[in-house]
Amino acid sequence: MLKRLKKPAITAITGILILGTPLVAAQANEENSNYSNANKYTFTRTHVDAPKAFWNYENNQFELLATYPVYDSEGDYTESTLPIDYTVNWVGKGWRGTNPVHLYSIPDQNWATFLGEPGKLLYAAPQLAGDGNAPIWSGFGADSDIPTEKLRDGEFSLNLIAVDGPGKVEYFISSATGNSVRRFFSSHDLKHRETLLELSQHTHNYTTFTKPGTYKITFQVYARDKAGNPIISKPQTQEWRVGGNDPRHDYTKNFRASFAAAPSEKESSRTGTPKLQVQPKPPKTYQNPGDQHYTDFHFETGNSADKGVLVLTIDGYQLLQLPVENGVATGSEMLGDETSNYQAIFIPTPDSPSPRWASAPFSYQRNQGAVEQRQETTEISYPAPIQPAPVQPLQAVELKDLRVDLSFTPIAGQDGKYNVKVTAKDPRFKGRIRGGFQAKPRQSYYDCFFEISLETGATEQEVDLGYCEKNFYLKFDLKPYPSINANGLHYDKTLDLTKGYTETLQLTHAPLTSELPDYEHQPLNPGTPAEPGTQVIPGDPLNNQPGTKPGNQPGNQGDNTQRPAPETEKTADKLRLTRGHLDIAAISGKTGLEVVIKDDTLEHSHHNRVERQLATTTLFVPPAAKQTRSVEQSQPYFDFLGKVGDAFYLLPEVQDHQLLWPGFSTEALDYRNYPQGVDFKVTPKQLPTGGRAVGFSIDPLATGTDQLKVFFDTEKAGDFTLHTEGPTHRHLNWVFTQPGTYKLQVDLVSGGKTISAPQELVFQITEKTSGTVGKLSNLDELLAPEVTISDENANPGEGKLSNETGTQTGGAQGVVANPAPVAPVTYATLPGNLPLATPGLVPGAPETKPNQNLEASPATDELQGAAPIPVTNQVGNSPAVAGGFLATVKSLLGANSTALLLSSLGILMFVAGLFLIFKKSHKS
């Protein structure tokens, strides 16, 4: 059962590592284990949102935490938190089938130039994790319980302040075929250091590194209150270990201190000279795909009686630690394609005959061939990146010009297509335009939705707005980033776009009312010398933590009494959810497992997730989800979309702001009780005439038929299951080929046995009578940040835009300088980038290898040759036919549909009565 999230009661621990124990603290089993900068919690082969912005109600301040699950002795689930300073993300190895997902080859595409030369190799935490969730499935985001109503324009951002590490770092989302990208953060490009966050947001993005090694990345949250005062979090630093060994298997936490404490001379002399040999991995030693890119290390002390640890550094940062046995240590690593400076450091055990030893630093690039280093030094290199990342503290940007131009022009010969250009007069402006077109001013969805992120001064896009060209209501908000000294504005107008329009939006000045605190960058701490006699003893640290064995997850928890408890569903009426994140979730109920909807949309609650019953909820799919199958989707495995040119409705795998983002979750389950895993089984119960529902995933790194994996298809015979073997959070692409009502039965199955009561999941797909909805139609072109719209000021079903836009200090409103109609940009989303989360490895288990695919669900992989599934109660192709007139009216009215419907009928009866009285009196 899901318990309320608790904030950490942070307890720093200190201590001295004593002789005869491994120089690593095992991560204990009890829930209240203490973590600190010296005793960090490792995330690997698991899902983690970090940094994740929270609001601390005790000091009214932002803080950056990482979340992870804790299971008690009864199997109950609690989501616990730690400051990101007390955690480390490890990017080890991972494969999807035979594809090494921890390696990223820079594509030969124009958009990829920011990553480097085509074909160069990067280390990657992928946006679509591999089998067993390897190497790590990481993202960033924000909690739902943040008082955005107190913030200027309701906005807050995550800012990257500094990167301390050997190479370059990039955070981005790539399209399914690698021909478009959305950048979030960059270590070396200062234009990409600030990203707006949303309530309940979580992303799953690439984080790439040009070199392996240890990185420390510092973030802050930035916002302004209504008066213009800055609201910022303290600088917090997240550690990444890229490549190398599992941090839980470090033999020394401070190799510099251990080296300083080791004897520099021994009574017995060396029998040989220590040496380090470095060479590309020989083909005869290849074992796994990707091995051809690795470099081998071979170290010898010259004395077969030596034991201890070999530490290899890259540009002065720890790369990996290897045990020395019988005077020998061996290992391998993918070093990237840049030249780096390396050093080998031998730290002996007390009973080893040889003293400590450090090689002189040497330069190496992985393609240069074999080298041998025998030269010795008494000094250990400190961190010295060849290309240091610049530090950028929080700023308050004073613009020289507060105007932003929007223009669009119909494209000749292409009906409904427009070229849209957005240009800030001051290229330093950063902001976001979000809104859309509505056929009616107060409907709960956009017929055409758009979002434009302006981060480099100007952007230009080609969009299809054919459906919304004439007599539609255009509503959008233009909101500057918190770093900009300007207030946002709201735009609302009825437009005719057919002749093209230009518009100049005038922002209002909003100076910073108090100074930002100074930021002093602290480089990676090289450590302090240890007490004399402190030595390294190789050990085998324990592994109990996320991604290992459910049920033994330590936590650092504290009271959270000031945060409101989650709301509960009390009404029997069907509640309509229209946009935002939700999960179809397995939870432990009073009588067994249950399937519920974990509603993070915030449409009908304030700052809280709500667990709703499927029987009381309808998932609404608006016209903006409508697309057409393009020529680029002509491969046979896309035939479930119909013929090229046929329309379908898509809820994409990566979030699109105006649509629902439904996923599956088993994060609340204790898998010790389900050794055969837990499956979501989907069975069609009611479809519109000619309707078909398909759930599938796209792998952007795979080729051919491997790019697409189908989890359920209502036209295929057999069981359609999403298989899980550990706590899972999984999103799919949901395709519906016809408008109408879709009812899908959802069951939980383990070992072939149904372990939950059947639940009915209802989708309502709506369609307009003509036209093509204004949205990009190519699946491969869809791309947008993974964020959730907060609509706090809206009543259920009304679709008001959120926050108090257009306000500034002194109460002045943002104004439009030249109030001519303006055309929007349609900005849609990328499908296919979230992995099926599977369990990490149990303590002592071997690393996941290629083809150990834990996603196996054979019945869902076949796309051809199965008989149709018989369904009953088929209905027509319009909402009115599908559910009847009253049901359609009720669905459009939203959460308070019953009361509103009865009131409307009462008014109609009253008016009809007045009409009859008037008619009778007129006759008389």
Side-chain angles (χ1 to χ4, degrees), residues 351-539:
D351 57 349
S352 292
S354 297
R356 71 189 188 191
W357 181 86
S359 74
F362 62 97
S363 177
Y364 186 78
Q365 198 275 341
R366 73 179 180 92
N367 293 318
Q368 77 180 60
V371 300
E372 183 176 286
Q373 177 62 296
R374 293 174 179 260
Q375 294 182 2
E376 182 179 2
T377 182
T378 59
E379 301 292 333
I380 294 182
S381 299
Y382 284 101
I386 295 175
Q387 293 181 292
V391 176
Q392 179 162 287
L394 298 180
Q395 298 178 334
V397 179
E398 192 71 27
L399 299 178
K400 296 179 179 179
D401 195 321
L402 294 172
R403 293 173 296 168
V404 178
D405 293 333
L406 290 90
S407 65
F408 66 92
T409 305
I411 299 175
Q414 299 187 46
D415 292 343
K417 296 290 184 66
Y418 291 84
N419 185 63
V420 179
K421 187 174 183 180
V422 184
T423 306
K425 297 291 188 181
D426 190 323
R428 297 174 300 163
F429 175 79
K430 290 185 177 182
R432 178 173 62 193
I433 300 176
R434 177 184 288 174
F437 288 89
Q438 295 179 333
K440 298 178 181 180
R442 294 180 65 82
Q443 67 187 36
S444 62
Y445 58 88
Y446 293 113
D447 296 282
C448 302
F449 176 86
F450 63 90
E451 178 173 315
I452 308 167
S453 292
L454 198 61
E455 297 176 344
T456 57
T459 185
E460 189 171 355
Q461 299 181 30
E462 179 181 315
V463 297
D464 184 349
L465 296 172
Y467 180 69
C468 300
E469 288 182 300
K470 295 183 179 181
N471 301 320
F472 272 75
Y473 295 89
L474 170 62
K475 297 180 179 180
F476 68 81
D477 293 308
L478 171 58
K479 297 182 179 182
Y481 281 20
S483 60
I484 303 299
N485 287 348
N487 285 315
L489 61 81
H490 177 72
Y491 186 91
D492 190 341
K493 195 179 182 80
T494 304
L495 295 181
D496 182 340
L497 305 180
T498 55
K499 297 181 180 179
Y501 290 90
T502 59
E503 186 94 53
T504 297
L505 305 174
Q506 179 70 55
L507 299 170
T508 55
H509 185 238
L512 197 69
T513 55
S514 61
E515 294 297 322
L516 291 169
D518 292 333
Y519 170 76
E520 294 184 5
H521 174 55
Q522 299 294 329
L524 183 68
N525 183 5
T528 56
E531 294 287 334
T534 302
Q535 301 291 339
V536 172
I537 303 296

Side-chain angles (χ1 to χ4, degrees), residues 66 71 99 111 115 138 237 241 284 324 370 412 444 465 486 563 593 644 661 683 713 751 780 922:
Y71 300 87
N99 181 36
W111 64 260
L115 292 172
S138 65
T237 300
R241 294 278 290 275
K284 64 181 181 181
V324 177
S444 62
L465 296 172
R563 297 189 61 190
L593 292 191
V644 172
W661 191 26
T683 306
D713 183 343
D780 297 336
H922 180 71

Side-chain angles (χ1 to χ4, degrees), residues 525-609:
N525 183 5
T528 56
E531 294 287 334
T534 302
Q535 301 291 339
V536 172
I537 303 296
D540 187 15
L542 297 180
N543 250 355
N544 299 319
Q545 61 169 56
T548 57
K549 183 170 67 174
N552 292 323
Q553 315 291 15
N556 189 349
Q557 304 180 46
D559 292 332
N560 186 27
T561 55
Q562 296 189 21
R563 297 189 61 190
E567 300 174 20
T568 56
E569 184 66 47
K570 297 180 179 179
T571 176
D573 296 333
K574 281 278 189 180
L575 193 72
R576 185 174 67 176
L577 302 179
T578 64
R579 61 184 183 182
H581 177 257
L582 63 90
D583 284 322
I584 302 147
I587 66 171
S588 297
K590 294 181 179 179
T591 59
L593 292 191
E594 300 176 4
V595 180
V596 299
I597 289 178
K598 290 184 179 179
D599 176 11
D600 288 323
T601 66
L602 305 184
E603 288 188 287
H604 307 284
S605 66
H606 183 71
H607 290 312
N608 285 291
R609 166 182 286 175

Side-chain angles (χ1 to χ4, degrees), residues 45-346:
R45 303 188 193 100
T46 190
H47 167 261
V48 56
D49 287 324
K52 185 172 182 179
F54 284 78
W55 184 261
N56 188 313
Y57 281 88
E58 294 181 359
N59 59 19
N60 288 319
Q61 187 56 270
F62 287 104
E63 58 186 350
L64 292 172
L65 307 177
T67 60
Y68 65 98
V70 173
Y71 300 87
D72 63 20
S73 59
E74 298 178 355
D76 286 343
Y77 161 79
T78 301
E79 198 173 47
S80 204
T81 58
L82 279 173
I84 62 170
D85 317 69
Y86 296 177
T87 68
V88 55
N89 287 358
W90 178 44
V91 185
K93 297 178 181 179
W95 292 266
R96 191 179 312 108
T98 59
N99 181 36
V101 295
H102 60 290
L103 304 179
Y104 184 96
S105 179
I106 300 175
D108 189 7
Q109 299 283 344
N110 289 334
W111 64 260
T113 55
F114 72 94
L115 292 172
E117 297 180 22
K120 298 293 186 182
L121 281 179
L122 308 175
Y123 247 108
Q127 71 185 45
L128 180 58
D131 304 333
N133 238 6
I136 189 173
W137 182 24
S138 65
F140 59 90
D143 188 36
S144 62
D145 192 7
I146 295 174
T148 53
E149 66 278 1
K150 298 180 180 180
L151 309 180
R152 188 192 76 179
D153 296 327
E155 298 285 12
F156 59 105
S157 64
L158 182 64
N159 291 59
L160 189 155
I161 306 299
V163 174
D164 199 348
K168 298 177 181 178
V169 185
E170 296 286 344
Y171 293 70
F172 64 95
I173 288 179
S174 174
S175 72
T177 56
N179 57 13
S180 56
V181 70
R182 164 76 192 271
R183 297 179 69 183
F184 292 119
F185 298 113
S186 172
S187 61
H188 286 67
D189 187 345
L190 294 180
K191 295 190 298 294
H192 299 280
R193 287 295 188 90
E194 183 178 18
T195 293
L196 289 177
L197 297 179
E198 302 279 345
L199 297 179
S200 295
Q201 175 184 352
H202 65 276
T203 68
H204 298 286
N205 50 272
Y206 280 106
T207 307
T208 61
F209 305 83
T210 56
K211 298 181 180 184
T214 302
Y215 292 79
K216 293 198 173 183
I217 304 177
T218 301
F219 291 95
Q220 285 181 275
V221 182
Y222 190 5
R224 302 196 193 193
D225 65 16
K226 299 287 187 177
N229 299 305
I231 304 175
I232 63 175
S233 65
K234 68 178 182 180
Q236 292 179 254
T237 300
Q238 180 183 38
E239 181 176 344
W240 286 77
R241 294 278 290 275
V242 180
N245 55 281
D246 188 330
R248 295 166 294 183
H249 290 266
D250 278 353
Y251 299 112
T252 172
K253 288 190 173 183
N254 190 331
F255 65 88
R256 290 181 174 84
S258 297
F259 181 82
S264 58
E265 296 181 1
K266 294 269 187 172
E267 290 184 2
S268 59
S269 60
R270 287 194 178 107
T271 59
T273 302
K275 64 180 179 181
L276 175 71
Q277 296 172 320
V278 183
Q279 67 173 5
K281 189 175 222 18
K284 64 181 181 181
T285 65
Y286 294 170
Q287 294 181 327
N288 300 311
D291 280 358
Q292 67 273 23
H293 305 301
Y294 274 68
T295 298
D296 281 349
F297 299 94
H298 181 86
F299 173 72
E300 296 179 6
T301 67
N303 190 325
S304 61
D306 283 331
K307 294 189 298 181
V309 173
L310 177 72
V311 179
L312 289 169
T313 65
I314 177 171
D315 296 334
Y317 298 88
Q318 178 175 308
L319 173 58
L320 74 162
Q321 297 186 15
L322 299 172
V324 177
E325 298 287 349
N326 303 317
V328 176
T330 60
S332 64
E333 188 52 73
M334 201 291 288
L335 302 179
D337 284 303
E338 296 187 0
T339 299
S340 302
N341 295 314
Y342 296 89
Q343 186 176 34
I345 302 162
F346 171 57

